[in-house]
Amino acid sequence: NPKFTEQEAETVSKSRNVSDVVMRLVARHQDFGSNYSIQLNMVRNPRCPIDLSLMFLPRLNDRDVTLLLKNRNVSDAVRRQAKKLFQAREDRRRVRNPGKKH
């Protein structure tokens, strides 16, 4: 629907009462799918299909990935993938700055 706004898409991405079909439509929309807050809301939403959450996960910043590790509302698969992503980013930092302590 052309009248569907970005604000409505953000509300849908937060909502736990929306079908996965609507979530997929919002995620695949060219404007809404690239919005960081919508991506973050979808990953945090336990009703979001796992494949969408995993698609958006690498796009999140380090702070949000760290918070996801502690979030018990998201699926185990998303938390496991967030842990792998966090570990990979930490390992990359250690390789770039071997003398620094984190």
Side-chain angles (χ1 to χ4, degrees), residues 22-76:
V22 176
M23 294 275 243
R24 287 182 190 283
L25 289 173
V26 169
R28 291 199 173 113
H29 190 276
Q30 136 184 25
D31 296 330
F32 306 146
S34 61
N35 181 313
Y36 185 81
S37 62
I38 292 174
Q39 293 173 2
L40 179 60
N41 289 336
M42 287 215 175
V43 173
R44 284 182 184 165
N45 191 336
R47 293 286 310 258
C48 182
I50 292 175
D51 60 323
L52 290 180
S53 294
L54 295 179
M55 178 179 75
F56 290 134
L57 190 60
R59 300 177 187 177
L60 300 182
N61 64 38
D62 292 341
R63 181 177 172 270
D64 291 327
V65 171
T66 304
L67 292 173
L68 269 176
L69 294 173
K70 301 170 189 170
N71 188 343
R72 295 287 179 193
N73 291 327
V74 297
S75 72
D76 287 337

